[in-house]
Amino acid sequence: MLLLFETPAGFALFKVLDEGKLSKVEDLGKEFSSPDSARKVVKLKAFSKFENTSEALEAATKIIESSTSKGLRKFLRANCDGEMLAVADSKLGNAIKDKLKIECVHNNAVMELMRGVRSQLTELIAGLATQDLAPMSLGLSHSLSRYKLKFSPDKVDTMIIQAIGLLDDLDKELNTYAMRVREWYGWHFPELAKIVQDNILYAKSVKLMSSRDNAAKLDFSEILPEEVEAELKEAAVISMGSDVSDVDLMNIKELCDQVLSLAEYRAQLYDYLKNRMNTIAPNLTALVGELVGARLIAHGGSLLNLAKQPGSTVQILGAEKALFRALKTKHATPKYGLLYHASLVGQAPPKMKGKMSRSLAAKAALTIRYDALGDAQDDSMGLENRLKLEARLRNLEGKELGRSAGSAKGKPKIEAYDKDRKKGAGGLITPAKTYNPSADAVLGQTPNSTARNVEEEEPAKEAPVPGEDKKEKKKKKKRSEEVTAVPSDRNEAAEQGWGRGSQERKEEKEETYSRERWCSK
C-alpha cells in the first residue's frame, strides 16, 4: 500500500512497510512516537517538488476541490504500479480511480496514519527542514486565502479611498490659490477678473501677460477665444488698476505656476481614480459615476462594508447629521445624501428627486454587492439598471405633465368658485349669516316696547306646563319689567330721526301686543 501525502513543498508518496499494524488503529499513534519507530512503519518512495508558488496554489486548490492537477496525475502514473493508494479524501480517491484507474482507500486507519506521518514529516523526508517548511506553509496559506476570498491586488479599494480624499483636498487648495491670484493681481488689473471667469485660464493669462502694459503686444490665441482676447486688450488700455513693482509681479507669476501645477496633478489624479473605479466597481461607476461612487466607498469604509448596507442606508449615506437632527426634533428625515450629486437625481424635477433617490439607492445597493462579491468584471448590470432608472424617470415626468395638462388619468377637478368655501374642503369657512333684529338701533321706546324687544330676542317657546316652577315665572316677570332710558324731550327725539306721530303709533301697537301676550299666559 502507498500513502499519498500533500506538503507545502510538494507531493510525497510513502510505502507502508507493515500493513498489519493498520488493523490496530488505537495503537498506531504510538508507532510514530519517535523517528526510528516511524521509519519502521512507512518509508518515502517518491517526492514531487513544486517549482513555484503558483504551481503549489494550483495543486492545493485542486485538492480542496477534490480533483487532480496535471502534475499530480503525472506523478501517480510514474510511481503507482498496480498498488493500492491511501488518500485523505474519499472524493479525491474517486477522482483518481476514475481518471487513473488506481484503487484508493480511505478509512480511520488511513487518517491515523496521516496524523503520524505529519508529526514526523521532517524526519521522514530528507532535506526538508522545519525552518524551511514554516515559511512555505505561511506563504501557501496566504495565497490560498486570497484565492478563496476571490482576492486580487487590483481589487484593493484602499487606493480609491485615498485618491478621492486627496482629490477633495486638491480642489480646496486649488480654489484657495486661484482666489488668492485674483485678489493679488486685481490691484494691478481688476477688469481681468470679469473678462476671464475660469481660474486656470486666468492664471495662464497672468503668467503670459505679467504687466497689463504688455497685453497689447502679446498673442493670447492659444489660451483665450478671439472675442475674449480683444476685450482683454481693450480693458488693459483703460484699466483703473494701480502700478505694481517687478518683484510683486514675479511672486504673482510663481503663485500662478503653483496653481497650474496643482491643476495638472488634479487631472492626472482624476484619470487614475477613474481607471481604478472602472476596475474595482465598474457597475457602480456606470450607475452613479466615478466621483459619487468613490465617495460612497470612502464613506462606507470599503466596498465590502458598503455591500453589507441596505438600500435605505445607501440612500441617506452622507446625511447622517441631518438624519439625527430630524429624529431629535421630530421633523421629516432627509431623502438623499451623497446620491444627490448623481446625474439621475440631478435630472429629476424637484418634486421627484426623493423618488428617484430611493430608486437609485435600491439599484446601487445591488450593483455594489455584485461588484464586491461577483466574479464578472464587466459593467453590463450597471448599464442595464441605468436604462431602467432613466425609463422610470421619463415615466414619472410623463405622469407629472399629464396631471398638470389634464390628461385622462390626471384630469383636474373643476369646481364653481365660492369665496366662503375652503379650498379642497367640503364645508363653509363660516356658517351662513341670519338676520338679527336685536342688532337694530332702538330709540324713543316705551317700557312696553322694550319688553317686546326683550321677548323677541328669545326664541319662541311652547306654552308653559301647568306644573312649571314659580321661580321661573318670577324671573320672566322681572325681565319684562326692565326698561331702558328713552329721550325725554320731543326735540331730542326729532334730532335722532324719530317723528312724534310715528312714535305714538308704535307705542299703541306695542301695548296691543303686550296685552295679547299677557292674555295668552
Side-chain angles (χ1 to χ4, degrees):
M1 178 187 287
L2 298 178
L3 175 68
L4 178 64
F5 193 86
E6 307 93 19
T7 69
F11 291 109
L13 203 60
F14 291 93
K15 174 70 175 176
V16 180
L17 301 177
D18 189 359
E19 296 183 11
K21 293 182 179 180
L22 297 179
S23 58
K24 299 179 181 179
V25 180
E26 296 82 4
D27 300 334
L28 194 57
K30 299 177 181 178
E31 301 294 334
F32 291 90
S33 59
S34 64
D36 294 336
S37 60
R39 292 189 185 98
K40 295 179 182 179
V41 179
V42 293
K43 179 182 178 182
L44 182 64
K45 181 180 181 181
F47 186 81
S48 176
K49 183 180 178 182
F50 297 135
E51 296 295 332
N52 48 42
T53 308
S54 300
E55 186 181 350
L57 177 62
E58 181 186 359
T61 305
K62 290 290 185 179
I63 288 178
I64 290 175
E65 294 174 354
S66 300
S67 62
T68 58
S69 62
K70 185 178 179 181
L72 179 60
R73 290 196 296 270
K74 186 178 179 180
F75 176 65
L76 292 177
R77 284 195 189 100
N79 296 284
C80 290
D81 299 330
E83 294 192 48
M84 186 176 292
L85 184 66
V87 294
D89 185 9
S90 59
K91 294 181 179 180
L92 178 63
N94 293 332
I96 294 173
K97 183 178 180 180
D98 293 340
K99 292 186 178 181
L100 302 177
K101 308 301 180 183
I102 299 175
E103 290 293 330
C104 298
V105 60
H106 171 76
N107 50 35
N108 293 335
V110 171
M111 296 305 296
E112 192 67 27
L113 189 62
M114 289 275 186
R115 190 175 295 110
V117 170
R118 187 176 294 109
S119 63
Q120 301 291 338
L121 185 63
T122 55
E123 300 294 335
L124 293 174
I125 300 176
L128 186 63
T130 307
Q131 59 270 21
D132 297 332
L133 189 62
M136 289 180 188
S137 301
L138 184 62
L140 183 59
S141 62
H142 285 177
S143 300
L144 192 60
S145 299
R146 289 192 185 96
Y147 176 79
K148 292 286 286 184
L149 296 173
K150 300 292 187 285
F151 180 82
S152 172
D154 295 332
K155 299 283 284 184
V156 179
D157 51 11
T158 307
M159 306 303 173
I160 288 180
I161 298 173
Q162 300 298 331
I164 191 62
L166 179 58
L167 194 68
D168 291 338
D169 293 340
L170 278 178
D171 286 337
K172 294 178 183 178
E173 292 296 326
L174 193 58
N175 188 52
T176 303
Y177 283 11
M179 291 299 105
R180 183 63 61 191
V181 170
R182 286 178 178 270
E183 291 179 7
W184 202 349
Y185 195 73
W187 286 96
H188 180 59
F189 193 0
E191 294 82 5
L192 184 61
K194 292 184 178 180
I195 297 171
V196 182
Q197 300 291 334
D198 187 77
N199 291 331
I200 307 303
L201 296 180
Y202 187 93
K204 290 181 178 180
S205 302
V206 172
K207 182 181 178 182
L208 178 63
M209 180 171 48
S210 186
S211 176
R212 68 169 184 266
D213 299 332
N214 303 328
K217 300 177 290 184
L218 296 173
D219 182 18
F220 294 90
S221 59
E222 296 181 358
I223 302 173
L224 303 174
E226 185 177 352
E227 59 275 6
V228 178
E229 180 183 0
E231 187 179 357
L232 185 150
K233 291 182 178 180
E234 290 177 3
V237 177
I238 58 173
S239 177
M240 299 174 59
S242 60
D243 295 333
V244 292
S245 63
D246 294 338
V247 178
D248 295 333
L249 290 174
M250 182 181 66
N251 283 278
I252 293 173
K253 289 174 67 176
E254 289 179 356
L255 182 57
C256 291
D257 292 335
Q258 293 291 328
V259 172
L260 296 176
S261 63
L262 282 176
E264 184 180 359
Y265 177 61
R266 188 205 178 277
Q268 295 176 1
L269 185 64
Y270 177 74
D271 292 338
Y272 165 75
L273 178 64
K274 185 176 180 180
N275 294 331
R276 297 301 296 170
M277 281 297 297
N278 287 324
T279 303
I280 294 176
N283 294 283
L284 180 63
T285 305
L287 189 63
V288 300
E290 300 87 9
L291 294 178
V292 178
R295 287 192 175 95
L296 285 173
I297 294 174
H299 206 82
S302 68
L303 186 63
L304 194 60
N305 289 343
L306 195 62
K308 299 175 184 177
Q309 305 297 334
S312 57
T313 302
V314 175
Q315 180 181 353
I316 59 171
L317 208 62
E320 290 84 1
K321 189 180 292 185
L323 173 65
F324 292 121
R325 183 172 61 246
L327 294 176
K328 185 177 180 181
T329 58
K330 297 182 180 179
H331 286 81
T333 54
K335 296 180 181 178
Y336 29 67
L338 293 171
L339 288 181
Y340 181 80
H341 302 286
S343 59
L344 287 169
V345 179
Q347 294 171 13
K351 291 184 179 179
M352 299 297 171
K353 287 187 184 295
K355 290 184 178 180
M356 277 308 300
S357 177
R358 184 168 61 250
S359 302
L360 180 61
K363 297 297 184 184
L366 293 177
T367 56
I368 289 166
R369 291 165 191 167
Y370 187 75
D371 288 332
L373 306 172
D375 296 332
Q377 296 296 324
D378 58 344
D379 57 352
S380 58
M381 183 181 182
L383 294 175
E384 182 183 353
N385 287 331
R386 186 178 181 87
L387 292 176
K388 291 180 180 179
L389 289 173
E390 289 175 351
R392 164 80 171 160
L393 178 59
R394 288 193 297 271
N395 188 18
L396 290 174
E397 289 176 346
K399 285 184 179 180
E400 186 67 19
L401 290 173
R403 191 176 293 112
S404 61
S407 64
K409 290 186 178 180
K411 191 171 183 180
K413 186 178 180 181
I414 302 174
E415 297 179 353
Y417 173 73
D418 190 349
K419 66 178 182 178
D420 291 332
R421 190 176 295 275
K422 286 182 181 179
K423 186 177 181 181
L428 296 174
I429 297 176
T430 56
K433 296 181 180 179
T434 57
Y435 178 72
N436 185 12
S438 63
D440 293 340
V442 285
L443 297 174
Q445 295 179 341
T446 61
N448 293 332
S449 65
T450 305
R452 178 189 170 189
N453 288 339
V454 172
E455 291 175 357
E456 285 179 351
E457 290 178 2
E458 298 179 359
K461 297 181 181 179
E462 297 179 358
V465 184
E468 189 180 4
D469 194 65
K470 293 182 179 181
K471 291 184 180 180
E472 194 69 19
K473 291 182 178 180
K474 288 182 180 180
K475 287 182 181 179
K476 289 183 179 179
K477 282 184 179 181
K478 288 181 181 180
R479 198 178 300 156
S480 63
E481 291 174 0
E482 290 178 357
V483 296
T484 58
V486 298
S488 58
D489 191 13
R490 181 176 178 180
N491 295 332
E492 185 179 353
E495 290 177 1
Q496 296 179 3
W498 291 87
R500 182 60 180 168
S502 63
Q503 182 180 355
E504 290 176 353
R505 286 194 297 272
K506 193 173 184 68
E507 290 175 355
E508 290 176 358
K509 289 181 180 179
E510 290 171 352
E511 288 176 357
T512 305
Y513 179 80
S514 298
R515 283 197 297 271
E516 292 174 354
R517 187 77 172 158
W518 281 109
C519 288
S520 65
K521 289 182 180 180

